[in-house]
């Protein structure tokens, strides 16, 4: 894993956006996995700005979102589909038929999940997957104990996630208890992964998934087994890391070691 520690949320967002933009410029028909939550909002704003001011072209890009609340219709104000259109899609030139978000109000979640996996395969697999991280260590809605072999499926939300996400709803009781989410197995097949995290609330879990043991209790720790992961943190989220100086040294000397680390 390459660990990039930034000064603040704004810098984390612009570093993340420039990594995504670089991949789109490298491959115009990039298959881009996307995440929701507060963390990526700044990076999405920056991507919209790059589109508007520098003509970053999304017309050939295909996107797959990680997850969606089960039971919410795509136009529901709390759905992740709605979130994505408000925060990114309506500000860029992505073509709507190349946008995939799990359908929360499907009648048959199992069949839908298989279909979703098939669409990812048909698109040629995910080139770059953007991830946030939950305080319980989840990526997507892969809550503690999720199998590292899991595929897109319905998952019950963990208590901490329900509490954390209650801020988006009128009351905690309104937070759906289930979601459709890509599995760890699905995420691990992405060619490259970019995880972003911000704020002191994420400091403990960032230490655990980066420097702790690989365990299904912190599903983000599965990323230690992936060959190409970049983690961009602000300094609050990085506060508890034990090897900060080493990560910073690698970042500052990357031009020297670039050939050796293959980035
Ligand atoms: P957040 O959510 O970005 O709102 O903190 C992250 C997540 O739960 O994956």
């Amino acid at each position: 894993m390459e660990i990039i520690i930034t000064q603040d949320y704004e810098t984390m967002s612009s570093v993340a956006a420039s990594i995504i933009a670089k991949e789109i410029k490298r491959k115009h028909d990039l298959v881009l996995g996307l995440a929701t939550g507060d963390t990526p909002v700044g990076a999405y704003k920056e991507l919209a700005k790059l589109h508007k001011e520098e003509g970053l072209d999304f017309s050939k890009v295909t996107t797959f979102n990680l997850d969606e609340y089960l039971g919410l219709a795509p136009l529901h104000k709390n759905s992740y589909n709605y979130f994505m259109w408000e925060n990114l899609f309506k500000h860029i030139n992505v073509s709507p038929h190349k946008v995939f978000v799990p359908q929360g109000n499907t009648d048959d979640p199992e069949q839908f999940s298989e279909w979703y996996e098939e669409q990812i395969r048909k698109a040629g697999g995910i080139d770059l997957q953007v991830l946030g991280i939950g305080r319980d260590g989840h990526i997507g809605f892969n809550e503690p104990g999720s199998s590292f072999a899991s595929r897109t499926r319905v998952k019950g939300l963990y208590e901490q996630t329900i509490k954390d996400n209650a801020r988006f709803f009128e009351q905690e009781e309104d937070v759906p208890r289930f979601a459709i989410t890509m599995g760890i197995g699905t995420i691990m097949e992405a060619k490259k992964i970019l995880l972003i995290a911000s704020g002191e609330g994420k400091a403990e879990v960032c230490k655990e998934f980066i420097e702790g043991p690989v365990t299904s209790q912190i599903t983000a720790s599965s990323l230690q087994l992936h060959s190409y992961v970049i983690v961009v943190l602000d300094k609050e989220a990085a506060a508890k890391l034990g090897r900060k100086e080493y990560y910073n040294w690698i970042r500052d000397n990357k031009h020297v070691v670039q050939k050796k680390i293959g980035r």
Side-chain angles (χ1 to χ4, degrees), residues 106-156:
T106 171
D107 290 336
D108 190 340
E110 204 170 317
Q111 197 184 20
F112 177 85
S113 300
E114 278 172 28
W115 178 85
Y116 203 69
E117 289 275 335
E118 197 185 311
Q119 300 316 303
I120 295 173
R121 266 194 306 277
K122 275 191 185 158
I126 292 169
D127 293 306
L128 175 66
Q129 176 66 56
V130 177
L131 299 173
I133 183 169
R135 287 199 299 155
D136 65 357
H138 71 207
I139 45 177
F141 272 129
N142 292 288
E143 300 291 28
S146 293
S147 161
F148 284 1
S150 53
R151 313 299 309 191
T152 302
R153 70 208 184 291
V154 171
K155 191 73 197 170

Side-chain angles (χ1 to χ4, degrees), residues 1 7 25 46 51 72 76 82 84 88 101 134 143 186:
M1 283 192 208
Q7 266 315 300
K25 286 181 197 156
E46 195 61 32
H51 167 67
L72 298 195
H76 191 288
Y82 185 86
M84 287 309 303
L88 181 63
V101 181
E143 300 291 28
T186 322

